[in-house]
Amino acid sequence: MSTSSSLKAAILSVVLLGAFLGAWQLAVGGTGSSQAMDPEYAALMGATSKGASAMPTPLDIGKEMWRHISDPFYDKGPNDKGIGIQLGYSLARVLLGYLIAAIVAIPLGFVIGMSPLFYRALDPYIQVLKPISPLAWMPLALYTIKDSSISAIFVIFICSIWPMLLNTAFGVAAVRKDWLNVAKTLEVGRLRTAIRVILPAAAPTIMTGMRISIAIAWLVIVAAEMLVGGTGVGYFVWNEWNNLSITNVICAILFIGLVGMALDQVLYRLSKLVTYAE
Amino acid sequence: MDLNTLITVEGLARSFPAPKGGGNVTVFDELWFDVAKGEFVCLIGHSGCGKSTLLNILAGIDKPSGGVVIVDGKEITGPSLDRAVVFQGHALMPWMSVMANIAFAVTSRWPKWSAAKVREHCQHYIDMVNLTGAEDKKPAQLSGGMRQRVGIARALAIEPRIMLMDEPFSALDALTRGSLQDEVVSICTKTRQTTFMITHDIDEAILLADRILLMTNGPEARVAEIVVNTLPKGRVRNELHKHPNYYAMRNHLLDFLVSRSEDLRGMVEGVDPKHPPMVFPKAGDGGPQPTLAASRT
């Protein structure tokens, strides 16, 4: 039953993809309105003036994708690096900012979750800081840190801290009273209770926060790198737009999606390790 | 004080702030009773008379508003490994296996023990509650009765001086409850475990308890009576109803729960709360005659 339904879903996926690519090919492959064009303008527009769209066909994308995949790590100067290198830069920034955020958010979330006093004291600040677009911090970061790469990491840090902080606090505060009472009656110390009871009890909620955070961090890095420039997949997208290479922009979009999916899958696997059935 | 006394409760009271403000609600006050070493004491009362609150105070999780609990000559100030609790909702850690749940308690009691010794000790108690083979299962994979067995094994494994049980079988079906009661009887007889149990099941109290404390309805609940079980020790569930005193016991308790717990509310005048009357229900005492159709509560 389940194998046949998953097979059906797979077939439908392939059919939808085929329909989409077919429509795309038809849409961009047709003739344009070049006849009505000023000949001088037509000369400037190059290929487009001969009736082809600037939009590449799926086949062009496929070829370009293959070129990127077959040689991802070349480095021909600051404006021409392989997609692997660019993704590597972005990933490194995301992971660094995310890791620092986790190191700050999880212990702080523990404190907030365990102490209603802290929760009430910090809640107004969290409520104000949370809705700020992480990119709004960028000028402040550039001014104080004076390093564009570290500023990007800071932006990742500030955007990934909130879901982890709030989920940890919520998870810790929602630990069943019974389990804490068990620890109390067994005269278990505070630290051991935190590690052996509260942490595993709150782990699924914390992992949910971590999954939300990594997704947000990966969304934000592209925008941040467009701003700071230099390296990274966000810079790559903007650079290719300046080159008017729509093909490469689309390739980059696909790679961003694939890496984002991979990050989510990794965290999903990790969260499965800590979930428990009640 | 009797040398044989393990727990003494003196003038215990607990009040909570009233939900709509304006003073406090006293759940119970002037609670006096004691539990002897090796004794099995049950407390019966309607919900709302503060049974669970009382148990939490005995466990050290909650603090009384007045009065003291003395264990082994010392006033208690908090939880202790000498007093193990079997919780109503089993309270097992769902991310730990059966073995790990019990080992968590054992390593809390004896932090210096080697892993092998802890395992061996846990295994002994797993076998005792007839869970051999389920060591590596998670609580979610066990039935309700098996989970409560783990809860009992966890409490017994720390070799407490007193085991406190808070309606441990109330969430179980009748058959499972019966077999678990039998096991508790045999374990407690074997180990002479001092036990204080809260229940609202009359038959459970008659089967398990040496003495039964009857608590009036709250607020301001008190111990109205102490019923001494007139059925001799070594009680067996299937034989219980054949004993001549059984119906006298049962009807006395039933009568209390149905009507007298309410009548005695606020305490009868002239009765010293320090010395609630002792009652020994026997066959031919008069009172309500045995009826086979006596309804269960």
Side-chain angles (χ1 to χ4, degrees):
Chain A
M1 182 59 209
S2 97
T3 43
S4 86
S5 69
S6 65
L7 184 69
K8 274 182 199 158
I11 290 170
L12 188 59
S13 280
V14 171
V15 169
L16 285 174
L17 180 69
F20 173 69
L21 293 179
W24 181 357
Q25 181 81 42
L26 279 177
V28 298
T31 52
S33 50
S34 60
Q35 284 83 353
M37 218 179 256
D38 185 322
E40 251 179 84
Y41 185 55
L44 271 174
M45 292 295 284
T48 319
S49 64
K50 293 180 190 79
S53 167
M55 200 58 151
T57 63
L59 208 63
D60 298 332
I61 304 286
K63 276 186 210 151
E64 193 63 16
M65 283 291 273
W66 179 247
R67 191 183 66 75
H68 283 302
I69 291 166
S70 53
D71 186 15
F73 296 116
Y74 70 88
D75 187 353
K76 295 176 190 158
N79 276 334
D80 193 8
K81 291 190 204 311
I83 191 80
I85 290 181
Q86 305 286 30
L87 284 168
Y89 273 112
S90 300
L91 267 176
R93 282 182 192 130
V94 162
L95 293 182
L96 200 60
Y98 177 79
L99 216 66
I100 298 168
I103 290 167
V104 174
I106 294 173
L108 192 62
F110 245 81
V111 172
I112 295 174
M114 295 227 265
S115 150
L117 177 71
F118 261 91
Y119 176 79
R120 283 170 59 186
L122 291 177
D123 190 50
Y125 302 113
I126 295 172
Q127 295 305 330
V128 170
L129 292 172
K130 190 173 59 135
I132 298 172
S133 163
L135 293 173
W137 294 95
M138 188 60 100
L140 205 58
L142 287 169
Y143 177 73
T144 43
I145 301 170
K146 295 185 173 62
D147 180 297
S148 62
S149 194
I150 298 177
S151 296
I153 293 168
F154 172 77
V155 166
I156 296 304
F157 164 80
I158 206 84
C159 76
S160 39
I161 197 165
W162 307 116
M164 285 196 266
L165 183 68
L166 291 174
N167 267 51
T168 307
F170 175 74
V172 167
V175 171
R176 284 250 307 270
K177 195 102 179 111
D178 270 0
W179 300 332
L180 297 176
N181 280 344
V182 169
K184 267 192 208 165
T185 58
L186 293 172
E187 292 188 66
V188 179
R190 286 175 80 93
L191 185 67
R192 191 158 175 256
T193 306
I195 294 170
R196 291 291 311 273
V197 180
I198 299 173
L199 185 63
T205 324
I206 296 173
M207 282 307 296
T208 308
M210 292 181 81
R211 256 179 101 186
I212 299 170
S213 278
I214 198 85
I216 292 176
W218 190 243
L219 289 179
V220 167
I221 192 66
V222 175
E225 284 170 346
M226 282 180 177
L227 275 179
V228 298
T231 47
V233 75
Y235 168 73
F236 177 83
V237 171
W238 204 250
N239 201 27
E240 294 304 324
W241 163 237
N242 286 335
N243 293 342
L244 257 182
S245 171
I246 303 296
T247 317
N248 270 329
V249 170
I250 293 173
C251 286
I253 288 172
L254 288 173
F255 279 119
I256 291 168
L258 289 171
V259 172
M261 187 182 76
L263 285 174
D264 187 61
Q265 279 298 310
V266 168
L267 277 152
Y268 172 67
R269 294 278 153 82
L270 286 176
S271 72
K272 276 192 112 174
L273 292 179
V274 298
T275 44
Y276 51 83
E278 272 197 54
Chain B
M1 196 186 80
D2 190 350
L3 273 177
N4 216 20
T5 307
L6 194 52
I7 314 177
T8 316
V9 172
E10 294 185 350
L12 208 64
R14 181 72 171 98
S15 53
F16 293 99
K20 284 176 189 154
N24 289 336
V25 174
T26 304
V27 186
F28 54 75
D29 67 354
E30 286 293 319
L31 233 49
W32 297 73
F33 63 86
D34 52 38
V35 180
K37 277 177 193 147
E39 195 180 22
F40 199 120
V41 173
C42 269
L43 182 129
I44 287 188
H46 280 287
S47 38
C49 71
K51 289 179 302 205
S52 289
T53 311
L54 171 62
L55 196 106
N56 284 345
I57 291 173
L58 293 180
I61 301 167
D62 200 353
K63 294 245 183 295
S65 317
V68 288
V69 178
I70 296 164
V71 173
D72 236 358
K74 275 189 224 116
E75 182 183 340
I76 65 162
T77 52
S80 158
L81 283 157
D82 282 340
R83 280 167 275 133
V85 185
V86 178
F87 292 87
Q88 193 170 3
H90 67 74
L92 300 175
M93 318 280 176
W95 57 89
M96 292 185 191
S97 65
V98 168
M99 179 62 90
N101 262 294
I102 299 170
F104 180 66
V106 171
T107 47
S108 304
R109 173 72 150 178
W110 298 283
K112 293 201 176 99
W113 276 15
S114 69
K117 189 161 186 200
V118 169
R119 220 182 149 74
E120 187 193 335
H121 186 83
C122 295
Q123 190 66 52
H124 173 71
Y125 287 93
I126 291 172
D127 296 344
M128 187 186 273
V129 296
N130 293 323
L131 277 179
T132 317
E135 293 85 355
D136 297 323
K137 288 201 173 126
K138 295 274 167 69
Q141 296 167 280
L142 304 176
S143 66
M146 289 165 94
R147 285 180 208 163
Q148 201 50 280
R149 279 164 209 256
V150 183
I152 293 168
R154 177 172 65 183
L156 291 169
I158 61 171
E159 293 176 359
R161 309 212 50 191
I162 305 142
M163 181 158 71
L164 303 168
M165 302 174 104
D166 185 4
E167 300 193 31
F169 311 130
S170 60
L172 306 175
D173 64 89
L175 281 174
T176 315
R177 194 188 313 152
S179 66
L180 241 69
Q181 285 164 352
D182 287 344
E183 275 171 44
V184 169
V185 169
S186 83
I187 290 169
C188 287
T189 321
K190 226 184 301 172
T191 58
R192 291 190 44 77
Q193 175 70 53
T194 311
T195 311
F196 180 81
M197 179 162 127
I198 281 168
T199 183
H200 53 238
D201 183 331
I202 288 173
D203 284 324
E204 185 168 281
I206 298 174
L207 176 66
L208 296 171
D210 303 316
R211 281 190 304 150
I212 301 158
L213 308 178
L214 303 182
M215 213 155 153
T216 61
N217 286 2
E220 287 168 41
R222 291 194 189 168
V223 175
E225 233 174 55
I226 296 173
V227 177
V228 179
N229 198 342
T230 47
L231 275 65
K233 248 187 172 340
R235 295 171 284 266
V236 185
R237 199 155 46 97
N238 296 338
E239 305 288 316
L240 217 52
H241 62 280
K242 291 179 188 155
H243 194 277
N245 289 347
Y246 172 74
Y247 284 104
M249 278 294 294
R250 193 174 196 284
N251 288 335
H252 187 86
L253 297 177
L254 195 63
D255 187 37
F256 176 83
L257 274 185
V258 171
S259 56
R260 289 176 58 224
S261 60
E262 187 61 31
D263 301 343
L264 291 171
R265 183 168 164 177
M267 206 55 216
V268 280
E269 309 299 323
V271 169
D272 182 3
K274 293 181 192 179
H275 302 287
M278 299 266 257
V279 185
F280 302 78
K282 283 198 178 72
D285 273 352
Q289 282 310 299
T291 42
L292 283 172
S295 62
R296 284 178 62 93
T297 46

